[in-house]
Amino acid sequence: MLIIMKPSATPQQIENVIQQIKKEGLAAHLSQGIETTLIGAIGETHDLATEHFEVLDGVEMVKRITQPFKLASRQFHPVNSVFPIDGFQVGGDDIALIAGPCSVESKSQILETAHAVREAGANALRGGVFKPRTSPYAFQGLGEEGLEYLAEAREQTGMPIVVEIMSQTQLDVMLNYVDVFQVGARNMQNFNLLRMLGETRKSVLLKRGLSATIEELLMSAEYILAGGNKQVILCERGIRTFETSTRNTTDINAIPVLKNLTHLPVILDPSHATGHADYVSAIARAAVAAGADGLIIEVHPDPAKAVSDGKQSLKPEKFAEMVKQVKAIAEVMGRRIAPINKPVTMGW
Ligand code: PEP
Ligand code: MN
């Protein structure tokens, strides 16, 4: 339920509404815009009459949020959510460009990649250290050693780091290193993990499950938001279809659909969506043209030798070429790739 306050509502009247929401056993979520104050009453509101709030002083209108996701809904929060990721803003006019290898393999590999992508224009670095591999015999990631290398890459390049978390047991160690937690497609409905990330105050990049609907993605985001963590970035990464010529099928529709349904930033991962380096740039361009707030791209200095996802990884030169094209599309869309303010402190 959404309680819309009058522009003239006083802080005391807002507080009274919040107290009334709590008395009903619901959670109150305040969203204060320049002109309007919206208060969400979140919980079981089916049987609750809107009159309970309509009679309170300072209340203009009470609306039911019809979608099953509430905090993630644009009905609840009409303007785009914009929040900082160490050094730049995500969700506003600027585009996030997260790049790096699928897996951190060695110190030299991540440092070389980090410098190359930063030089090409990336504003954040990705790298997996706990890998969700289809086979239990495949490389599972470097663990904390990999986090240390990523931290060094951040130190040298000024780029925040985005790392996948697979289980609750990894939280404590990761909190010391990462700027953005990535939740992979396979864990999109790991509700315990989502709840735990909702308790943190670090950004979460939530990937769409392999066969998840857009509504299911938004319900997963709701788990994180319900814990009070407002910094959720949604990521379309391709879905399973009958088509086999690409690893997955990019649901390009998901970008405008999500932008319509939610205030959260939406980015696209053309690497996993296509599974093939030759197609990554085309889909990256399409994503920005469709209104994506960012991209996450796999880049490897020597894709043929990559321990995971080499086939879909761009060489640094190809990535630089892609960035030029994406910049041009961003300009047409009235946007730009977010610059990072921090200096490169050490060359490669
Ligand atoms: C990844 O980003 O390397 C990854 C495993 O992605 P996804 O969860 O989308 O498959
Ligand atoms: Mn990968």
Side-chain angles (χ1 to χ4, degrees):
M1 198 175 272
L2 191 62
I3 295 124
I4 302 155
M5 301 301 290
K6 288 180 180 157
S8 59
T10 64
Q12 188 53 54
Q13 289 168 339
I14 293 170
E15 184 52 33
N16 288 346
V17 171
I18 292 173
Q19 288 313 320
Q20 183 62 30
I21 291 171
K22 290 184 178 163
K23 253 191 234 159
E24 301 285 354
L26 303 167
H29 288 262
L30 185 64
S31 166
Q32 218 143 14
I34 300 167
E35 280 166 25
T36 43
T37 298
L38 305 177
I39 309 171
I42 308 295
E44 275 308 326
T45 56
H46 278 307
D47 301 329
L48 184 63
T50 52
E51 288 81 30
H52 274 63
F53 298 103
E54 279 161 354
V55 296
L56 298 178
D57 290 341
V59 172
E60 179 145 291
M61 203 192 303
V62 180
K63 278 203 226 165
R64 290 196 183 275
I65 301 175
T66 48
Q67 282 138 339
F69 44 90
K70 310 289 178 191
L71 300 172
S73 164
R74 210 178 256 290
Q75 288 177 338
F76 169 68
H77 192 287
V79 296
N80 287 338
S81 277
V82 182
F83 48 85
I85 298 181
D86 194 35
F88 68 93
Q89 302 280 330
V90 66
D93 285 342
D94 288 357
I95 287 180
L97 188 50
I98 307 161
C102 179
S103 301
V104 177
E105 297 167 9
S106 66
K107 189 164 164 175
S108 62
Q109 174 245 18
I110 192 65
L111 291 178
E112 182 180 350
T113 313
H115 281 280
V117 298
R118 158 97 210 229
E119 196 171 312
N123 42 39
L125 178 67
R126 64 151 288 152
V129 302
F130 302 110
K131 294 305 298 179
R133 305 304 300 279
T134 304
S135 164
Y137 310 118
F139 175 70
Q140 305 285 308
L142 287 185
E144 187 166 5
E145 184 188 349
L147 290 170
E148 274 165 17
Y149 300 156
L150 280 165
E152 184 157 348
R154 174 179 51 203
E155 185 67 31
Q156 291 190 15
T157 63
M159 288 187 292
I161 55 179
V162 181
V163 190
E164 178 166 355
I165 180 164
M166 283 179 56
S167 117
Q168 286 95 312
T169 57
Q170 293 155 358
L171 182 75
D172 287 344
V173 64
M174 289 184 79
L175 275 171
N176 298 327
Y177 296 94
V178 314
D179 298 292
V180 180
F181 285 111
Q182 177 175 320
V183 175
R186 290 153 195 84
N187 269 313
M188 188 203 85
Q189 288 187 314
N190 182 340
F191 299 120
N192 289 333
L193 182 64
L194 300 176
R195 271 199 200 282
M196 188 190 67
L197 293 172
E199 298 299 319
T200 73
R201 293 297 175 263
K202 288 211 187 212
S203 301
V204 179
L205 192 167
L206 177 63
K207 288 186 139 195
R208 182 177 180 181
L210 280 74
S211 303
T213 64
I214 287 174
E215 186 171 301
E216 285 163 344
L217 171 62
L218 289 166
M219 292 310 291
S220 290
E222 192 77 11
Y223 269 88
I224 303 167
L225 298 169
N229 185 350
K230 296 181 176 169
Q231 308 198 116
V232 180
I233 303 162
L234 302 170
C235 180
E236 164 61 36
R237 47 76 75 206
I239 50 173
R240 284 250 164 114
T241 68
F242 54 82
E243 183 53 69
T244 54
S245 51
T246 49
R247 182 175 178 182
N248 292 293
T249 297
T250 311
D251 182 5
I252 202 83
N253 297 357
I255 296 169
V257 171
L258 282 167
K259 293 298 295 179
N260 191 28
L261 292 174
T262 181
H263 51 90
L264 297 170
V266 179
I267 71 165
L268 191 129
D269 173 348
S271 308
H272 293 84
T274 63
H276 205 293
D278 287 348
Y279 308 138
V280 168
S281 295
I283 302 307
R285 298 194 300 267
V288 174
D293 298 302
L295 295 165
I296 177 165
I297 313 272
E298 287 185 340
V299 179
H300 195 286
D302 188 357
K305 296 212 177 88
V307 299
S308 60
D309 289 348
K311 213 170 119 207
Q312 67 196 34
S313 298
L314 297 183
K315 287 187 180 161
E317 316 83 80
K318 282 276 169 215
F319 175 70
E321 220 172 86
M322 186 216 81
V323 176
K324 280 194 197 133
Q325 298 167 352
V326 165
K327 264 189 188 160
I329 306 270
E331 227 167 86
V332 173
M333 301 300 296
R335 307 180 78 170
R336 61 168 188 172
I337 295 171
I340 36 175
N341 316 320
K342 293 190 184 159
V344 175
T345 59
M346 201 186 285
W348 172 252

